[in-house]
Amino acid sequence: MEQATFRNLILRDVEAANAEEAIRKVGQRFYDEGFVKDTYIDAVVAREKNYATGLQLADIAVAMPHTDPQHVNRPGVCIAQLKHPVEFEHMGDPDTKVQAEMLFMMAIKNPDGQVELLQKVLGVFQQPEVVAAFRAAKNEDELFEAAQKYIG
């Protein structure tokens, strides 16, 4: 993936009142950059209602919304730091709510890649210094640098 294009998938201080608004705003950037089709955002919102993607990790809560490959033009990850935490249902336990600070929205063409990416994000965000680096990012460039360093 081209550096400049990936850099455009880093968002900071995303203002959202709830999970759906966060998904729609971040998904719009994916669409504007040509990674996903016009059906992607609605498909992610619908999928999130049935298959929640919130995760409470050691020091941070994140959400990893995504949908089926037919809504994707090319693979990518849009990383968004939310201005205020937003409530998502916990993956695998919809009765548990998490206050997600970050979204890792995925455009997946190969479903096997989804598991690999999920494991990678889970692994790096178990480390307090990684969480601290993402939280300390003061602008999109610093957030991009943290994402490159820890996620690749």
Side-chain angles (χ1 to χ4, degrees), residues 79-142:
I79 300 173
Q81 183 184 60
L82 302 174
K83 188 169 182 105
H84 307 286
V86 171
E87 184 174 278
F88 274 79
E89 292 179 358
H90 194 281
M91 186 183 294
D93 183 9
D95 293 333
T96 300
K97 309 296 184 218
V98 302
Q99 296 299 317
E101 293 179 41
M102 298 198 66
L103 260 63
F104 293 86
M105 187 175 275
M106 300 180 286
I108 299 162
K109 286 296 276 182
N110 174 0
D112 294 338
Q114 171 187 332
V115 174
E116 193 176 298
L117 178 62
L118 182 60
Q119 289 172 336
K120 186 169 194 173
V121 170
L122 292 176
V124 298
F125 276 94
Q126 297 295 342
Q127 304 166 43
E129 67 273 14
V130 174
V131 174
F134 274 83
R135 281 190 177 139
K138 293 177 183 65
N139 54 49
E140 289 177 351
D141 288 329
E142 289 180 11

Side-chain angles (χ1 to χ4, degrees), residues 8 36 44 49-50 94 110 114 148:
N8 294 341
V36 299
V44 173
K49 288 179 174 134
N50 296 315
N110 174 0
Q114 171 187 332
Q148 265 195 318

